[in-house]
Amino acid sequence: AASRYRRFLRLCEEWPVEQTKQQRDLGSVLRQRVAQAFREGENTPISDPEACDQMYESLVRIHTNFYKNKYPRLKETTFTGVTVQDCRTILATDLLKQMGDMKKGRWKRLREKFSAKKPEEDLK
């Protein structure tokens, strides 16, 4: 259990955290899940060691871009012509929040701006 815990910790340290995806980043979710799974640290009993090892190997393949390297793409765009950088920009938390605000109607935005309580409370 101790060696498995150390391997997951090393993987968490190596995994980058993407600041543009707050609360939706795979690196931060991985850190939370490892903390939950190994609550007692190195002393945590593991009920299914084979599944634990399989999960670790799968995460390592994702982290090292195993399949990206095994199956290289001919073009760096999707069928729509959107590049990886465009996708990152679109999926950034700030832009998604702005788009969510744009979807709200003018009346709802004004009501939220001047209301002391949240609109969800009005529905109750």
Side-chain angles (χ1 to χ4, degrees):
S3 64
R4 286 182 178 91
Y5 175 66
R6 281 187 237 117
R7 289 190 323 178
F8 272 101
L9 280 183
R10 194 173 330 113
L11 181 63
C12 287
E13 289 173 2
E14 293 174 4
W15 204 292
V17 175
E18 198 165 332
Q19 299 300 325
T20 60
K21 295 182 182 176
Q22 301 158 351
Q23 304 299 325
R24 298 179 301 116
D25 178 49
L26 186 56
S28 59
V29 171
L30 175 65
R31 287 168 179 76
Q32 291 171 356
R33 294 281 175 96
V34 168
Q36 288 173 352
F38 292 96
R39 287 189 181 133
E40 298 173 25
E42 293 181 352
N43 300 326
T44 304
I46 298 174
S47 60
D48 191 358
E50 291 176 9
C52 181
D53 292 341
Q54 188 177 23
M55 179 65 71
Y56 174 77
E57 293 301 324
S58 297
L59 289 169
V60 167
R61 283 193 296 273
I62 293 170
H63 176 63
T64 59
N65 291 322
F66 177 81
Y67 293 106
K68 180 182 178 186
N69 297 331
K70 186 174 179 178
Y71 305 106
R73 297 177 58 136
L74 300 176
K75 296 181 181 179
E76 290 299 316
T77 61
T78 62
F79 73 96
T80 60
V82 178
T83 64
V84 173
Q85 187 57 38
D86 292 340
C87 287
R88 284 191 179 128
T89 303
I90 291 168
L91 293 174
T93 302
D94 296 338
L95 186 66
L96 290 175
K97 186 177 180 204
Q98 287 175 359
M99 290 178 72
D101 290 342
M102 287 173 48
K103 287 182 182 178
K104 294 179 183 176
R106 190 173 299 185
W107 178 249
K108 189 170 185 177
R109 281 193 304 245
L110 284 171
R111 198 172 82 192
E112 285 178 359
K113 187 175 184 178
F114 295 110
S115 177
K117 56 183 176 178
K118 295 181 181 174
E120 293 85 27
E121 294 174 2
D122 289 342
L123 299 174
K124 293 180 182 178

